[in-house]
């Protein structure tokens, strides 16, 4: 039987046929052809047997369509539960499989079926409600079911290996069993020194600490333990909260918080699916509403799932939840060690822990008896997965809530336009927090016109300082008062463009259609798309002319702050500096403890953080996202500017925001200055409706990339012709845009094309997407084709 992948290309190469002589696995759904269901009679005919074998439907963790039918050995019949991982023969080898339930006998000619080899775990990795969600995701986002299930599992469960119980974090200690160094150790100076160290520090110390102080102490302490002078012990490391991230329970709620809490408690008591939009201005206390709702869910014996868009937000949110619930909180994100992720997953699956906090992939967390789902900063584009299964976690959270009969709360100060439209249509109930906690005023927002403060005259030989005089003056005043500053710029690196002063050519990536970014701390230029890096060239590679370093990134802003305000304690928060979860947590905790004066960062500093010491926020360049060729550019610019502005004035002192821009008349900038979210949203929705963009339509992007430009273009046009031939009547409202080169036409050496489909509903687009999928089997393997339903970005 020939296995046809959903996509052609490197990540979905045609699999080997899952057949052996005289036996085979049979696909029970998906496209079947005569070639797939026919074999020589001698190999396919099944002799009459005394008993009818028990059949199982299995999703195989490979990029192939459909479910497959296997037989169950007698020892497994009646013992498997849906969601259990199994090992199955597939092709010429074996593969990870997932038992989905009993299967019906295959139609057509009788064939000899392969048998499930063995079970890899005692209990299902996936509860039934999660299997339903994954089935939906596979159909809606058009991705192989087995790969969807495999991708939802943590490390340790996503491969065809037996499950092992993950151990919690432990720390090894050495404990002295005597009060002084005994005389018999006089001839063992190493043991004497190690024991003396333990006694000097109180009789007990971490093993790593002793080994760091005394070389070779590990073996020495083992000898002391053998002789009865010391004991080595292991202690489980309890989940704790970094100092500075701990927050207590407030004595009272605002009237708006209390009203929202009453509604959510009633919804939880009703135990039915109810979706809400919690629209609260920055600093209005949305997180406390989440916490109170989770408390009530816990009192009802129900679990809660809290989703955040960025790993950068998890330390503070986890701190608040663990301050309230202690060890009842599991954390799930990719920055954790594999063992940690598996440990938290298993604790949730067993029901030992009832609350999960994580990023978008946590939407698949096996929370027991799920009663509450919260999506914080629901508008954030980070909830959209941009590779493999291209899902939107916010939307899947709503689907999961509906399937589980749970309450879903989408929270934001700047809701997505799609969410607002669902409120207008009555699908979601609106809860509003219009005022900040303790009636703190919203920050004042002031404009700094860079056309005036940073004029360009004559020949540009070097970049003018990016920190304008008004901004520097405000920073100096704020730091002088002992308060803190956040500087926001959504660009990493030092300089974003290296330009030849003679020939005018910019230094571009050899593999991508983008400029290389200068990282001064590394003395390298780096491509942020493919990772290519090389030393900074001293001269133009084309004409040997001198290179100008233009454009700005967070690294340059940090350097300029240190140069202009030498006494300031400055840190930078972006993907380059926050290289690990530990480093990220420590940096945020240090800022919360006021050990830093200025935090320079990308969008990692813009969302969700609550630092009472911050009274000044400076948007270094408000224009960086306005020029992106995407219909959501204005919306995302408004969201970012509003979110980062909301970091100011969350304590007892009022906040101030300075926005530097070359486009003071741009609609998002003007609306942010006036705190006018409703005005911006209404105008943007009118524009979207006129052009039939979401939320007034549904979209799917067909993206192609290939090594050969001509071949990729030819495939794109061929797929476009297929769509054109099968387009419904114009009255159906379905439109095709393209095919055309993607805005970034080359990444990692591959040419990129795309075509976009728009329609009033997903159902209207489904027949065209099915036609496209059927045509992909004929696409050359050198061209990769991906169907992206509900695309998040147009690049």
């Amino acid at each position: 039987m020939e296995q046809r992948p959903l996509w052609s290309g490197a990540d979905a190469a045609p699999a080997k046929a899952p057949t052996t002589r005289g036996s085979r696995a049979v696909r029970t759904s998906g496209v079947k052809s005569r070639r797939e269901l026919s074999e020589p009679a001698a190999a396919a005919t099944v002799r009459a047997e005394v008993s009818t074998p028990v059949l199982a439907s299995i999703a195989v963790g490979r990029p192939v369509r459909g479910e497959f039918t296997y037989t169950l050995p007698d020892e497994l019949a009646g013992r498997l539960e849906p969601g259990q991982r199994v090992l199955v023969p597939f092709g010429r080898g074996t593969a990870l499989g997932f038992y989905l339930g009993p299967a019906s006998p295959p139609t057509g000619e009788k064939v000899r079926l392969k048998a499930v080899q063995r079970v890899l775990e005692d209990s299902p990795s996936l509860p039934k409600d999660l299997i339903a969600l994954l089935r939906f995701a596979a159909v809606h986002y058009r991705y192989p079911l087995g790969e969807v299930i495999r991708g939802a599992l943590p490390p340790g469960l996503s491969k065809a290996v037996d499950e092992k119980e993950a151990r919690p974090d432990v720390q090894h200690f050495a404990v002295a069993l005597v009060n002084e160094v005994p005389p018999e150790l006089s001839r063992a100076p190493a043991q004497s020194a190690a024991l003396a160290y333990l006694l000097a520090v109180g009789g007990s110390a971490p093993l790593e600490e002793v080994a760091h102080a005394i070389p070779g102490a590990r073996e020495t302490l083992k000898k002391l333990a053998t002789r009865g002078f010391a004991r080595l012990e292991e202690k489980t490391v309890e989940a704790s909260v970094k100092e500075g991230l701990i927050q207590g329970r407030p004595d009272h709620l605002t009237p708006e918080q209390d009203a929202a809490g009453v509604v959510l408690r009633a919804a939880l008591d009703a135990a039915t699916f109810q979706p809400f939009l919690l629209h609260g201005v920055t600093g209005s206390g949305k997180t406390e509403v989440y916490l109170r709702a989770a408390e009530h869910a816990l009192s009802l014996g129900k679990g809660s799932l809290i989703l955040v868009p960025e790993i950068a937000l998890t330390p503070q949110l986890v701190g608040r939840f663990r301050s309230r619930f202690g060890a009842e909180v599991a954390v799930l994100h990719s920055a954790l060690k594999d063992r940690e992720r598996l440990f938290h997953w298993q604790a949730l699956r067993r029901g030992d822990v009832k609350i999960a906090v994580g990023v978008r992939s946590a939407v698949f967390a096996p929370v027991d008896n799920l009663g509450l789902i919260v999506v914080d900063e629901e508008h954030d584009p980070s909830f959209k997965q941009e590779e493999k299964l291209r899902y939107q976690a916010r939307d899947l959270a709503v689907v999961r809530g509906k399937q589980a009969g749970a309450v879903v709360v989408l929270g934001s100060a700047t809701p997505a336009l799609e969410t607002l439209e669902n409120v207008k249509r009555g699908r979601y109930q609106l809860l509003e927090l219009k005022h900040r906690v303790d009636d703190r005023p919203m920050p004042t927002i002031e404009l700094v016109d860079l056309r005036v403060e940073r004029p360009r005259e004559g020949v540009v030989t070097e970049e003018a300082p990016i920190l304008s005089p008004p901004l520097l003056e405000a920073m100096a005043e704020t730091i002088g008062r002992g308060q803190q500053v956040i500087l926001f710029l959504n660009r990493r690196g030092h300089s974003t463009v290296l330009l030849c002063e003679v020939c005018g050519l910019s230094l571009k990536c050899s593999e991508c259609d983008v400029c290389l970014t200068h990282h001064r701390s590394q003395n390298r230029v780096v491509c942020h798309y493919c990772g290519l890096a090389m030393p900074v060239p001293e001269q133009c590679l084309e004409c040997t002319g001198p290179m100008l370093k233009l454009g700005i990134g967070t690294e340059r802003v940090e350097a300029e702050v240190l140069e202009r305000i030498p006494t300031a304690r400055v840190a930078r928060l972006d993907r380059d500096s926050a290289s690990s979860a530990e480093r990220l947590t420590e940096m945020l905790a240090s800022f919360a403890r006021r050990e830093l004066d200025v935090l320079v960062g990308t969008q990692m500093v813009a969302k969700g953080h609550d630092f009472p010491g911050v009274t000044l926020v400076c948007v270094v360049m408000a224009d960086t996202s306005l020029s992106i060729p995407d219909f959501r550019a204005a919306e995302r610019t408004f969201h970012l500017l509003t979110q980062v502005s909301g970091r100011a004035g969350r304590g007892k002192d009022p906040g101030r925001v300075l926005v530097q821009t070359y486009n003071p008349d741009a609609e998002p900038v003007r609306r942010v200055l006036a705190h006018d979210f409703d005005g911006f949203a209404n105008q943007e929705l009118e524009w979207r409706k006129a052009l039939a963009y979401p939320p007034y339509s549904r979209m799917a992007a067909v993206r192609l990339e290939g090594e050969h430009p001509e071949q990729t273009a030819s495939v794109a046009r061929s797929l476009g012709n297929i769509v054109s031939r099968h387009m419904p009547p114009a009255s159906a409202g379905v439109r095709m845009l393209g095919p055309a080169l993607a805005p970034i036409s080359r990444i990692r050496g591959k040419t990129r094309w795309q075509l976009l489909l728009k329609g009033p509903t997903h159902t209207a687009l489904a027949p065209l997407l099915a036609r496209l999928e059927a045509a992909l089997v004929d696409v050359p393997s050198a061209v990769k084709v991906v169907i992206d339903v509900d695309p998040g970005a147009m690049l």
Side-chain angles (χ1 to χ4, degrees), residues 61 73 123 150 276 399 436 482 488 497 606 655 668 715:
S123 59
R150 192 168 69 89
F276 295 89
V399 173
R436 284 188 157 190
F488 167 71
V497 179
V715 172

Side-chain angles (χ1 to χ4, degrees), residues 665-715:
D665 296 326
E667 188 66 20
V669 175
R670 290 196 306 107
R671 297 288 186 178
V672 165
L673 292 175
H675 294 289
D676 186 11
F677 173 76
D678 291 338
F680 171 79
N682 290 334
Q683 184 165 5
E684 189 72 6
L685 283 170
E686 286 181 13
W687 177 78
R688 298 272 187 94
K689 189 172 186 178
L691 297 178
Y693 275 114
Y696 302 104
S697 69
R698 293 294 177 263
M699 294 183 67
V702 182
R703 309 187 194 279
L704 303 89
E705 63 175 40
E707 298 177 359
H708 309 293
E710 297 82 5
Q711 184 185 44
T712 308
S714 175
V715 172

Side-chain angles (χ1 to χ4, degrees), residues 83 85 96 98 121 124-127 130 134 147-164 166 331-334 336-349 361-362 364-366:
R85 299 181 310 120
L96 175 65
F98 306 96
E121 57 196 9
S125 288
L126 301 163
L130 204 48
L134 295 169
E147 287 288 86
V148 170
I149 298 175
R150 192 168 69 89
L153 293 171
L157 297 179
S158 58
K159 295 182 180 179
V161 295
D162 291 305
E163 180 179 9
K164 295 180 180 179
V331 183
L332 296 169
H333 58 72
S334 59
L336 296 174
K337 298 174 184 175
D338 289 353
R339 177 186 51 75
E340 291 178 289
R341 292 170 65 189
L342 179 59
F343 177 76
H344 289 300
W345 177 278
Q346 291 174 334
L348 288 166
R349 189 182 64 183
S361 59
F364 303 120

Side-chain angles (χ1 to χ4, degrees), residues 78 108-109 230 267 302 328 394 450 462 519 529 612 622 706 721 776 790:
E109 298 180 36
K302 296 183 178 182
E328 278 284 327
R394 176 197 62 215
L450 291 178
E462 62 180 19
H519 288 251
Y529 283 84
N721 289 335
L776 296 187
D790 300 327

